[in-house]
Amino acid sequence: MALLATCSPRVARSLARLAVPCKATATNRGAIVTGQRAWQAAAAQRLTAVRSFSTGSPWKVAVIQDQQIPKDEAVGALSGKGFEVAWTLDAPSDASVLVTVTNPVTEAVLDKHPNCKLVAVSFTGFNHVDLEACKKRGISVVNVPAYSTDSVAELSVGLALSVYREIPAGERTLRTGGWVHSAGGMEIRDKVIGIVGLGDIGLRTAELFSAFGPREILGWSRRPKPAFEKFGKQIAIEELFEKSDIVSLHVALNAETQKIIGRSLLERLRPDAVLINVARGGVCDQEALAELLAQRRFREGLEVFAKEPIPADDQILKVTA
């Protein structure tokens, strides 16, 4: 989940500096602009947004989702940058800016805020924002793509270690009165690491795994990523799943990546392989994932799921450790 202890100040800075080029992901009129190569385009889009609703008076910001930190702290982070803040949640408003974390921004939500010209997502992903609806209304969308780079990359390594060293299962053995859980865990050293998605988080994850002395680090991205060359080589995703001991997922969730990790790829994993998903649950075919895990076709460390919170009857919860 988003940690607005870092998000809230970052969103405030994004709103306050819309006219300043910066490394950010933005969409204006439905066109997505991502990363350092697009900073000029993002700046131009943000300038358009400023011209479209800057009036000289404080911008009114409607917070439409609890920000997971004390309300006073979240409000202070925004009002301290000169914004008028309305903690509206489900209520309508006349605000020019909406701030959300993971709550969907749909046509119905936008109808409640007819003056909205900007949606600020205090989170990395923005697949829960209806970009077509924003496009039709000329609404810009910004997020904070870099706030969690280190924490997500570290979590990927942590989950891999947890599976390899059998930490959760070992704890359960101790709590039930046992002592020896198994003959021993595994090491990352000399293993093959596969990184699916070579954006900032994927690259940082590759960097962290490299400290453990893996035999090889393999990567996959839809485009060549020269920055990955110092860690390993890019190969076809099918080959990556076949060769890797640990596969860590770091792709954004969008129309092109929905269920990109399907049955055909999952079946290429070996029984001792570990799949780590710290991206989005929707990038995996969760039905196939649950079925193959139940068959012990591979192991997993999952931080995200297709539906969150997980429905009580979801098959993924029936997979025994």
Side-chain angles (χ1 to χ4, degrees):
M1 300 297 292
L3 300 175
L4 212 83
T6 53
C7 279
S8 187
R10 288 175 183 269
V11 168
R13 288 197 294 271
S14 287
L15 294 175
R17 300 175 182 175
L18 283 173
V20 180
C22 63
K23 183 182 179 183
T25 301
T27 100
N28 188 44
R29 306 191 181 224
I32 300 174
V33 182
T34 307
Q36 290 176 323
R37 294 187 304 167
W39 70 266
Q40 288 179 315
Q45 289 176 328
R46 292 171 170 211
L47 283 166
T48 300
V50 171
R51 287 194 294 268
S52 68
F53 65 91
S54 180
T55 62
S57 58
W59 296 349
K60 188 170 186 178
V61 176
V63 180
I64 64 172
Q65 181 182 1
D66 183 86
Q67 299 292 295
Q68 302 168 7
I69 61 172
K71 177 181 176 180
D72 290 346
E73 185 177 340
V75 171
L78 292 167
S79 61
K81 296 294 183 179
F83 299 107
E84 178 186 350
V85 183
W87 199 268
T88 61
L89 301 183
D90 292 329
S93 80
D94 60 352
S96 299
V97 181
L98 303 184
V99 176
T100 187
V101 184
T102 57
N103 273 10
V105 178
T106 62
E107 287 267 18
V109 171
L110 295 174
D111 285 342
K112 293 182 180 180
H113 309 275
N115 293 337
C116 177
K117 296 298 180 184
L118 180 72
V119 173
V121 182
S122 46
F123 197 57
T124 301
F126 50 87
N127 53 287
H128 52 293
V129 178
D130 188 335
L131 297 181
E132 284 303 313
C134 291
K135 177 180 178 180
K136 288 190 295 185
R137 299 169 188 242
I139 296 173
S140 299
V141 179
V142 295
N143 69 340
V144 279
Y147 87 92
S148 62
T149 298
D150 286 330
S151 60
V152 175
E154 290 174 12
L155 179 58
S156 174
V157 175
L159 288 171
L161 287 170
S162 184
V163 176
Y164 262 23
R165 306 305 300 189
E166 304 177 29
I167 295 172
E171 182 191 24
R172 286 194 296 271
T173 296
L174 288 175
R175 290 184 180 277
T176 55
W179 181 246
V180 178
H181 173 73
S182 71
M186 300 174 66
E187 297 178 345
I188 295 175
R189 178 172 293 278
D190 291 328
K191 299 301 188 297
V192 177
I193 311 299
I195 308 293
V196 178
L198 302 177
D200 288 347
I201 295 176
L203 292 174
R204 179 60 173 153
T205 302
E207 182 180 12
L208 294 182
F209 270 115
S210 68
F212 289 83
R215 184 184 348 139
E216 189 176 23
I217 299 180
L218 305 174
W220 176 85
S221 177
R222 285 172 291 176
R223 295 180 299 275
K225 296 290 180 124
F228 182 72
E229 293 176 0
K230 61 183 176 181
F231 303 116
K233 63 179 180 180
Q234 287 184 236
I235 62 174
I237 193 169
E238 294 84 1
E239 185 181 1
L240 184 147
F241 269 72
E242 290 172 354
K243 291 184 173 181
S244 298
D245 296 297
I246 298 172
V247 175
S248 190
L249 306 182
H250 302 281
V251 292
L253 178 60
N254 52 47
E256 294 181 0
T257 61
Q258 183 78 35
K259 294 186 177 181
I260 189 174
I261 310 302
R263 180 181 296 274
S264 63
L265 284 176
L266 294 173
E267 288 179 341
R268 294 173 185 266
L269 292 170
R270 300 187 304 276
D272 60 348
V274 177
L275 177 72
I276 304 296
N277 189 2
V278 290
R280 292 290 184 273
V283 304
C284 282
D285 180 341
Q286 188 160 301
E287 183 177 342
L289 177 63
E291 180 183 331
L292 293 171
L293 286 172
Q295 297 172 11
R296 296 291 193 266
R297 296 287 295 273
F298 52 86
R299 298 177 292 172
E300 91 295 341
L302 306 177
E303 194 259 339
V304 290
F305 303 89
K307 292 183 179 179
E308 298 174 350
I310 309 172
D313 61 349
D314 197 302
Q315 291 301 307
I316 200 73
L317 294 178
K318 296 178 172 59
V319 177
T320 58

